[in-house]
Amino acid sequence: MNMELIRSTASFLRKNGFRNPEVCIVLGTGLGKLIDYLKVEHSIDYDQIPNFPVSTVEFHKGRLVLGYLEGRRVIAMQGRFHSYEGYTAAQVAFPIRVFKELGAQFLILSNAAGGINLGFNKGELMLIEDHINLLNQSPLTGPNIEEPGPRFPDMSCPYDVALNQYVIEVGVSLGVNIHKGVYAAVSGPQLETKAEYRFLKTIGADAVGMSTVPEVIVARQIGLKCCALSVITDICDPDDLQEIDISQILDAALLGEAQLIKVIPEFMRFLPR
Ligand code: HPA
């Protein structure tokens, strides 16, 4: 990873119309439909973008879109990259560096996650207030690129307090119940055992998933204000664990997606100019 790669990808995207986004949005597993609410100006498949990894998960679209949502200029990833696809955390977070280079100031992430906190129901949203990185990897591993930010970025508050407050206010104003909690990122792709869910609960996680944390670490390093929402897709009760397959997770993601489609557009109006 170096600035040259970041700049050359940014320059390619600029030439293709992806100029001056204010906000980037990363749409997670089963959560791509928000794109339909964008006034789309430009769209490109990941495999056409130099230096981008190619999404291999079949239910991820793998498309970058530039458009307007509630009058705000947005660059949206429909589908993201995961460590379990074989990418390093640095590769997973590479697009975030490119978006900053294009001028973005805010990052909104979404993901599908298992509910460790048994107060959560399937299809509900959880605002990520903090995280635990269990990926055994950091996107900052490897030679440091001095230019974009510090080698040892502070992680006392990786999720922007003001943005989080807006999300909660939007939830209240729309009547959407939004929990708050700690997200644990695991490498996957297998789901967890009962013992692992018990462990995650013990260490303070409220939800578990296989993404988001690499992007957040990079956002923090490069000074992109971020907030993240999980859609709870399954209930991870180690004392009553039901067998589950990915199609059930995707069905539950659809329930949550309906909430996200309400919350994110309204949230745009709260974003400072
Ligand atoms: N574990 C890990 N990742 C997930 C889960 C889970 O239970 N549900 C959705 N993504």
Side-chain angles (χ1 to χ4, degrees):
M1 201 65 50
N2 59 50
M3 280 313 290
E4 227 167 275
L5 280 185
I6 296 164
R7 287 205 183 101
S8 78
T9 304
S11 150
F12 168 88
L13 285 172
R14 248 183 242 112
K15 279 185 205 132
N16 284 276
F18 288 75
R19 282 180 221 103
N20 307 321
E22 295 174 82
V23 187
C24 10
I25 303 181
V26 178
L27 297 169
T29 304
L31 304 172
K33 209 161 136 212
L34 185 78
I35 298 288
D36 297 346
Y37 295 77
L38 254 66
K39 210 169 128 248
V40 175
E41 284 197 343
H42 300 280
S43 166
I44 187 168
D45 289 346
Y46 293 157
D47 59 7
Q48 304 297 307
I49 306 174
N51 309 318
F52 252 50
V54 177
S55 185
T56 62
V57 186
E58 60 282 5
F59 42 79
H60 280 247
K61 268 272 199 304
R63 197 158 64 109
L64 189 66
V65 172
L66 184 112
Y68 286 88
L69 187 61
E70 295 296 326
R72 306 304 292 260
R73 202 165 162 84
V74 164
I75 195 163
M77 289 183 78
Q78 193 174 24
R80 62 144 64 78
F81 307 106
H82 301 85
S83 309
Y84 63 74
E85 294 172 82
Y87 306 118
T88 63
Q91 286 174 305
V92 166
F94 175 76
I96 306 303
R97 296 189 183 278
V98 173
F99 301 155
K100 175 78 193 301
E101 184 69 18
L102 289 173
Q105 292 182 50
F106 303 105
L107 171 65
I108 304 169
L109 298 142
S110 64
N111 61 49
I116 302 286
N117 184 325
L118 299 179
F120 298 171
N121 296 308
K122 252 195 241 185
E124 286 187 326
L125 301 182
M126 183 193 90
L127 175 68
I128 303 181
E129 283 198 312
D130 207 346
H131 71 228
I132 302 172
N133 182 10
L134 299 175
L135 291 170
N136 280 324
Q137 261 200 57
S138 163
L140 312 181
T141 300
N144 191 35
I145 352 173
E146 288 292 334
E147 210 176 319
R151 179 50 153 166
F152 302 102
D154 171 74
M155 281 288 145
S156 61
C157 194
Y159 301 86
D160 191 79
V161 173
L163 297 188
N164 281 358
Q165 187 55 38
Y166 299 148
V167 173
I168 295 300
E169 285 172 34
V170 166
V172 170
S173 75
L174 295 175
V176 174
N177 187 18
I178 304 180
H179 299 286
K180 297 181 206 167
V182 173
Y183 175 87
V186 295
S187 63
Q190 73 287 347
L191 298 173
E192 288 69 36
T193 63
K194 294 184 202 111
E196 286 165 340
Y197 284 135
R198 208 168 274 123
F199 164 75
L200 290 166
K201 191 179 181 71
T202 305
I203 63 172
D206 294 292
V208 56
M210 304 171 192
S211 67
T212 304
V213 164
E215 292 99 314
V216 171
I217 293 172
V218 163
R220 182 74 190 130
Q221 187 202 33
I222 64 184
L224 203 53
K225 290 185 173 172
C226 83
C227 67
L229 280 161
S230 292
V231 170
I232 303 300
T233 53
D234 49 308
I235 305 302
C236 310
D237 181 356
D239 297 317
D240 182 25
L241 193 61
Q242 311 296 316
E243 213 177 289
I244 189 162
D245 67 49
I246 188 70
S247 65
Q248 289 162 285
I249 289 183
L250 293 175
D251 285 347
L254 281 181
L255 286 178
E257 185 177 48
Q259 316 284 319
L260 271 188
I261 284 167
K262 289 190 214 160
V263 169
I264 295 182
E266 184 64 19
F267 176 73
M268 290 292 135
R269 304 172 189 228
F270 279 76
L271 279 182
R273 295 261 173 199

